[in-house]
Amino acid sequence: MSDKKIPTPDAAQEPRGVSRRTFLGTGAVTGAVLAGATALGAGTFTRESWAAAAKEAKSKIHVGPGELDEYYGFWSGGHQGEVRVLGVPSMRELMRIPVFNVDSATGWGLTNESKHILGDSAKYKNGDCHHPHISMTDGKYDGKYLFINDKANSRVARIRLDIMKCDKILTVPNVQAIHGLRLQKVPYTKYVFANAEFVIPHPNDGHTFDLQDKNSFTMFNAIDAEKMEMAFQVIVDGNLDNSDADYTGKYAASTCYNSEKAYDLGGMMRNERDWVVVFNIPRIEAAIKAGKFINLDGSKVPVVDGRKVDGKDSEFTRYIPVPKNPHGLNTSPDGKYFIANGKLSPTVSMIAIDRLDDLFNDRYKDPREVIVAEPELGLGPLHTTFDGRGNAYTTLFIDSQVVKWNMDEAIRAYKGEKVNYIKQKLDVQYQPGHNHASLTETSDADGKWLVVLCKFSKDRFLPTGPLHPENDQLIDISGDEMKLVHDGPAFAEPHDCILARRDQIKTQKIWNRNDPFFADTVARAKKDGINLETDNKVIRDGNKVRVYMTSMAPAYGLTEFTVKQGNEVTVTITNIDQIEDVSHGFVMTNHGASMEISPQQTSSITFMADKPGLHWYYCSWFCHALHMEMVGRMLVEKA
Ligand code: CUK
Ligand code: CUA
Ligand code: CA
């Protein structure tokens, strides 16, 4: 592998004279396990061709002042813990939605409303999100919710797309590291499928390090999307990485890279094949309905066992051997295939979904009979996306390329026909993980734009010190040839994104006063006898002081209130402005308190009045010519 010749951009693209291949030294690291990969030319670059391409690209992605983008993009914020909203093709960042993090501007993680949503997990200030997915009806985005996983603290969050705020967070019990997340597509998103990556002992009470024991396992999890409660869990062999669901509502599938259940790197690469595990959702539902389930380690969630016993399959699962440490799992938008991306094998494996009924009815001698093609694409295939015209686009992490290939031709080649299923290889900069084509997860896949999320940006942007941004590249796939049109720096580390047509997302312009987002606060005010839209009052309840006020540009309803040192103060503000875009804020200086109050929203925050003295509070969102003057004072009297 190490002698494979990779064409590199000219010196202008390689200002520090480092080739990307020597830069990562990947040949040396993975050469042994990747032997047998094909080497295909990637095209060559000249200064002129880059300049010409750049000019053409500019005209494609230019969204002029005042014009709107065609697509919403929702980007995972990786281990930064948030979701970012981008416009595509301009790649302009429109909004950030805090989820598994603390956000100073909106007060997420600080306000009572957000802490209520964070629940038990409010104690965690970190998160690691990977996979944002939009709810569907009949295999098309319905624009209602976006779901995202938190690998770091084993959570799944839901974002309401009408207000672009997180409204539910669930910690999945008895597992570690929720990684893969996908939604049921058909008939609608009843379940969020979220798989846990790491094998742990059960009960995990400190009694053992032993992962080979039969009581050490991980689970595939289904969450009721509407209630955001656990629906069921399935014990599996090996571990689980990424998942997807089919277009019949019957099957979901996950990749497993650690069939070895190994503790060490070498061990996890020991087997030539790991597997894709397929879940039969109706059979699991039927077993649970019939009461044939167990509960695990003090949780009430129904659990079924999807492991093999003495080599015999359970009724719930089938294990399809695929090479080697597979990573991404992607359903083609025609509903025909699950595609497992080989990672340590240069191949992807195409599983025919219409053979899964027969697989579950034990009509095949070898479970690999459901595999209809295993095309060789290049080094380090991680994720595949689709244009709806029969082509697939797979990221090659090690080759730093996206390869476009044709699915039907790959199937013909697998049958022995001489056909070159590879259409094009395009260099990306550098080391791509996920890629995502517009509407690819739905039957609407429209083959217009492809976003490629590169893990390394190296020389593509002005240097920012030892920590580099990632590079989210936009590729035009509307023609026969893929064309790179934009480099977009992104902070830690998007992993994945999703694109929806702008007409598929419908947002509210201002808050509805009956919104459940702040219903608890409204209920508490009611108990205090407060009319939130009109009252400016201080309620004293022992050591607790509840301050209610309105806000209307450029003034708070209360500009002075007095508390005693040691009081726990809750400030509740209702923004009675009805004008779109007039958001106010509330910051109590030197108290760590900050929040957003958008038009018709009620927000509240609680802090300790521990310092005697006069303390100013001010509006933090620029709302009016007299925004600086939108202030008030809290007097804290000595105890
Ligand atoms: S994973 Cu990061 S590149 Cu978490 Cu979807 Cu594949
Ligand atoms: Cu209100 Cu600034
Ligand atoms: Ca393995």
Side-chain angles (χ1 to χ4, degrees):
M1 279 322 310
S2 49
D3 61 359
K4 185 183 160 193
K5 195 125 180 73
I6 299 288
T8 51
D10 67 12
Q13 270 66 49
E14 302 275 10
R16 291 190 284 281
V18 189
S19 96
R20 60 164 201 245
R21 180 52 63 112
T22 51
F23 160 65
L24 268 190
T26 45
V29 177
T30 48
V33 291
L34 289 163
T38 44
L40 267 131
T44 47
F45 297 85
T46 64
R47 206 181 284 275
E48 290 72 31
S49 68
W50 274 99
K55 203 171 161 205
E56 190 189 334
K58 226 184 224 162
S59 65
K60 290 238 165 178
I61 62 162
H62 185 67
V63 177
E67 291 177 356
L68 303 179
D69 280 290
E70 290 174 78
Y71 294 86
Y72 277 101
F74 297 91
W75 256 243
S76 151
H79 40 304
Q80 207 278 337
E82 68 190 1
V83 168
R84 300 174 194 140
V85 188
L86 271 71
V88 174
S90 75
M91 302 288 275
R92 296 179 296 193
E93 186 180 287
L94 306 173
M95 186 44 64
R96 297 180 176 195
I97 307 171
V99 184
F100 303 115
N101 59 340
V102 176
D103 182 58
S104 168
T106 58
W108 184 260
L110 304 174
T111 64
N112 295 312
E113 295 72 37
S114 63
K115 282 181 174 168
H116 183 80
I117 289 163
L118 284 154
D120 289 347
S121 79
K123 61 181 180 283
Y124 300 127
K125 306 297 179 208
N126 73 311
D128 179 16
C129 38
H130 290 231
H131 301 114
H133 292 287
I134 299 171
S135 57
M136 284 179 258
T137 301
D138 294 330
K140 297 174 196 301
Y141 298 135
D142 59 25
K144 204 170 171 193
Y145 299 123
L146 181 132
F147 298 88
I148 192 155
N149 70 299
D150 169 24
K151 177 168 171 175
N153 297 305
S154 309
R155 292 176 288 182
V156 173
R158 182 174 81 183
I159 288 164
R160 265 175 58 196
L161 289 177
D162 64 333
I163 50 172
M164 300 226 180
K165 299 278 185 200
C166 172
D167 83 322
K168 294 273 183 195
I169 290 185
L170 174 73
T171 301
V172 179
N174 295 320
V175 297
Q176 281 180 21
I178 293 295
H179 181 245
L181 180 143
R182 288 287 184 142
L183 308 178
Q184 191 174 14
K185 299 172 195 280
V186 172
Y188 67 100
T189 300
K190 178 178 173 193
Y191 296 124
V192 177
F193 299 121
N195 53 255
E197 184 176 343
F198 298 143
V199 171
I200 54 169
H202 293 271
N204 195 17
D205 56 5
H207 76 281
T208 184
F209 247 131
D210 185 0
L211 297 182
Q212 302 300 337
D213 186 83
K214 76 171 177 28
N215 290 320
S216 291
F217 50 79
T218 190
M219 293 190 284
F220 178 79
N221 308 281
I223 295 157
D224 182 312
E226 202 53 53
K227 294 188 190 139
M228 279 298 279
E229 289 168 3
M230 291 300 302
F232 58 79
Q233 296 180 298
V234 185
I235 301 172
V236 295
D237 288 315
N239 80 336
L240 297 172
D241 192 353
N242 277 295
S243 301
D244 207 344
D246 74 348
Y247 282 86
T248 71
K250 202 166 173 183
Y251 298 113
S254 304
T255 50
C256 158
Y257 65 78
N258 193 3
S259 60
E260 302 89 349
K261 284 171 84 176
Y263 303 75
D264 61 307
L265 221 46
M268 288 189 265
M269 298 194 293
R270 199 184 325 116
N271 295 346
E272 273 317 305
R273 282 176 181 157
D274 296 289
W275 53 63
V276 167
V277 47
V278 183
F279 300 89
N280 189 316
I281 306 303
R283 285 192 187 176
I284 295 165
E285 288 178 321
I288 289 166
K289 213 169 165 198
K292 289 190 271 178
F293 62 83
I294 58 166
N295 296 120
L296 209 60
D297 310 348
S299 140
K300 291 199 170 63
V301 182
V303 176
V304 298
D305 197 335
R307 291 177 295 184
K308 292 187 179 199
V309 179
D310 302 327
K312 212 179 152 302
D313 282 309
S314 80
E315 59 179 305
F316 311 114
T317 56
R318 289 296 180 271
Y319 293 81
I320 304 166
V322 299
K324 170 176 189 164
N325 289 37
H327 181 61
L329 195 288
N330 304 92
T331 311
S332 59
D334 55 14
K336 288 183 180 167
Y337 313 109
F338 284 140
I339 294 183
N341 297 260
K343 192 167 77 183
L344 298 191
S345 156
T347 58
V348 299
S349 304
M350 294 179 72
I351 294 166
I353 291 171
D354 65 5
R355 294 188 186 180
L356 294 177
D357 284 352
D358 282 345
L359 179 67
F360 271 93
N361 292 326
D362 300 320
R363 301 231 169 81
Y364 297 119
K365 268 205 208 87
D366 178 351
R368 276 186 56 85
E369 285 178 52
V370 301
I371 290 173
V372 291
E374 216 151 59
E376 265 192 40
L377 301 177
L379 299 188
L382 289 190
H383 294 278
T384 296
T385 189
F386 309 91
D387 63 9
R389 300 189 293 268
N391 301 308
Y393 301 76
T394 300
T395 49
L396 302 173
F397 180 81
I398 294 167
D399 280 341
S400 272
Q401 291 179 321
V402 173
V403 48
K404 175 182 178 180
W405 55 282
N406 184 276
M407 291 188 283
D408 283 344
E409 290 174 3
I411 292 169
R412 281 161 51 199
Y414 193 68
K415 286 181 186 146
E417 225 179 291
K418 265 211 152 53
V419 41
N420 183 11
Y421 43 79
I422 292 190
K423 301 292 134 195
Q424 188 193 354
K425 289 192 168 188
L426 180 74
D427 281 5
V428 293
Q429 287 74 23
Y430 305 89
Q431 268 66 43
H434 275 269
N435 59 356
H436 186 95
S438 39
L439 308 186
T440 183
E441 285 170 15
T442 70
S443 52
D444 286 332
D446 65 5
K448 285 194 179 160
W449 297 108
L450 174 66
V451 173
V452 180
L453 304 175
C454 298
K455 308 292 186 187
F456 293 79
S457 62
K458 202 180 51 159
D459 50 15
R460 301 293 282 194
F461 306 111
L462 287 175
T464 55
L467 182 62
H468 289 50
E470 327 300 355
N471 186 9
D472 300 347
Q473 295 188 303
L474 185 68
I475 293 168
D476 177 2
I477 55 167
S478 59
D480 282 342
E481 221 184 297
M482 293 184 276
K483 286 187 177 149
L484 176 63
V485 293
H486 184 77
D487 273 16
F491 184 54
E493 163 198 347
H495 284 281
D496 196 6
C497 68
I498 187 165
L499 306 181
R501 274 196 329 266
R502 71 185 192 203
D503 63 85
Q504 294 177 308
I505 310 291
K506 298 210 164 47
T507 60
Q508 297 182 29
K509 288 187 167 31
I510 61 173
W511 285 85
N512 182 327
R513 288 296 306 144
N514 299 319
D515 201 291
F517 191 80
F518 45 76
D520 287 335
T521 307
V522 170
R524 189 232 307 140
K526 205 170 170 190
K527 265 200 213 147
D528 278 342
I530 295 288
N531 180 341
L532 284 168
E533 285 103 41
T534 54
D535 289 353
N536 294 290
K537 272 188 196 163
V538 178
I539 307 277
R540 295 177 203 279
D541 178 7
N543 192 40
K544 296 190 160 114
V545 178
R546 291 188 288 279
V547 180
Y548 291 93
M549 65 177 96
T550 57
S551 69
M552 187 170 198
Y556 294 115
L558 262 187
T559 52
E560 282 182 7
F561 65 89
T562 302
V563 299
K564 284 239 152 30
Q565 184 182 9
N567 280 169
E568 183 198 275
V569 181
T570 298
V571 173
T572 304
I573 302 182
T574 300
N575 181 351
I576 56 174
D577 270 306
Q578 306 228 20
I579 303 161
E580 187 178 354
D581 210 358
V582 182
S583 294
H584 298 290
F586 172 85
V587 172
M588 181 64 75
T589 50
N590 299 349
H591 281 78
S594 171
M595 64 182 179
E596 162 209 3
I597 322 120
S598 281
Q600 297 291 303
Q601 184 179 12
T602 295
S603 305
S604 72
I605 194 158
T606 301
F607 54 89
M608 290 303 294
D610 48 6
K611 292 181 285 284
L614 181 150
H615 303 276
W616 286 82
Y617 51 92
Y618 68 92
C619 174
S620 50
W621 292 87
F622 211 113
C623 55
H624 192 273
L626 293 170
H627 156 79
M628 296 303 291
E629 290 83 347
M630 187 166 170
V631 293
R633 291 154 302 276
M634 169 178 76
L635 187 69
V636 180
E637 295 175 340
K638 256 205 178 111

